């Protein structure tokens, strides 16, 4: 049985081919070449790598780590919540000067181990990291809390993010 959705999120599911015509590469090109420029052209967004973050939870965190590793001039901040794939540990070492916020729940022990390994590998490579470990499982409510923590750590001077309704 093939998890076709994972092909869009995991670089290693596509034999490490980040440039070919495969689901991972098409997904990456869509975000980096269409979504990011569209947002910056149509919304009041800053267009520097320091003001831009890529993030995700579960499989999405693996994709975010790959995006930041493959596009260091585009993404200066990474939010990786409940990192699912051990292959992401190697991508964490390639983040360069990006900042990495990683989080996981105590009740998802295998994923917690992978998330901690990602943070350790990134930190050993000189990446500035921050961790959040909650008493939770693999659930969106925990990711919402961790995302708020990540936003506050990555963008501490962003007052607009703290306004009601924002």
């Amino acid at each position: 049985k093939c998890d076709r959705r994972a092909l869009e999120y995991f670089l290693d599911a596509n034999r490490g081919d980040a440039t070919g015509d495969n689901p991972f590469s098409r997904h990456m090109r869509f975000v980096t070449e269409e979504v990011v420029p569209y947002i910056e052209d149509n919304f009041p967004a800053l267009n520097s790598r320091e003001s831009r973050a890529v993030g995700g939870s579960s499989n999405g965190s693996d994709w975010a780590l790959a995006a930041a590793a493959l596009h260091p001039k585009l993404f200066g901040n990474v939010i990786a919540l409940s990192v699912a794939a051990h292959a992401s540990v190697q991508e964490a070492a390639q983040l360069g000067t990006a900042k990495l916020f990683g989080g996981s729940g105590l009740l998802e022990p295998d994923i917690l181990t992978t998330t901690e390994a990602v943070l350790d590998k990134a930190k050993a490579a000189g990446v500035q990291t921050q961790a959040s470990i909650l008493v939770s499982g693999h659930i969106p409510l925990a990711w919402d809390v961790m995302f708020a923590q990540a936003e506050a750590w990555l963008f501490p001077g962003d007052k607009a993010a703290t306004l009601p309704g924002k």
Side-chain angles (χ1 to χ4, degrees), residues 16-87:
D17 181 8
T19 60
D21 186 27
N22 59 61
F24 176 87
S25 297
R26 288 191 299 270
H27 183 196
M28 186 66 68
R29 281 192 301 272
F30 173 68
V31 172
T32 60
E33 297 174 13
E34 295 183 42
V35 173
V36 171
Y38 178 83
I39 290 169
E40 291 175 350
D41 288 345
N42 293 283
F43 297 95
L46 299 175
N47 64 354
S48 68
R49 72 179 293 277
E50 294 78 22
S51 66
R52 210 179 283 117
V54 60
S57 55
S58 194
N59 289 357
S61 66
D62 297 288
W63 186 86
L65 286 161
L70 292 168
H71 299 279
K73 293 180 180 176
L74 191 60
F75 301 111
N77 301 284
V78 186
I79 303 169
L81 309 177
S82 297
V83 182
H86 195 72

Side-chain angles (χ1 to χ4, degrees), residues 125-145:
V127 175
Q128 187 177 355
T129 64
Q130 179 71 29
S132 176
I133 310 300
L134 301 180
V135 179
S136 70
H138 201 74
I139 58 172
L141 179 59
W143 299 328
D144 290 346
V145 170

Side-chain angles (χ1 to χ4, degrees), residues 53-131:
V54 60
S57 55
S58 194
N59 289 357
S61 66
D62 297 288
W63 186 86
L65 286 161
L70 292 168
H71 299 279
K73 293 180 180 176
L74 191 60
F75 301 111
N77 301 284
V78 186
I79 303 169
L81 309 177
S82 297
V83 182
H86 195 72
S88 295
V89 174
Q90 297 310 315
E91 291 162 355
Q94 301 168 20
L95 295 179
T97 60
K99 291 169 62 177
L100 170 63
F101 183 97
S104 189
L106 288 173
L107 304 178
E108 49 179 357
D110 293 339
I111 288 176
L112 174 59
T113 299
T114 304
T115 302
E116 289 175 329
V118 162
L119 287 160
D120 291 343
K121 188 74 160 189
K123 191 171 188 175
V127 175
Q128 187 177 355
T129 64
Q130 179 71 29

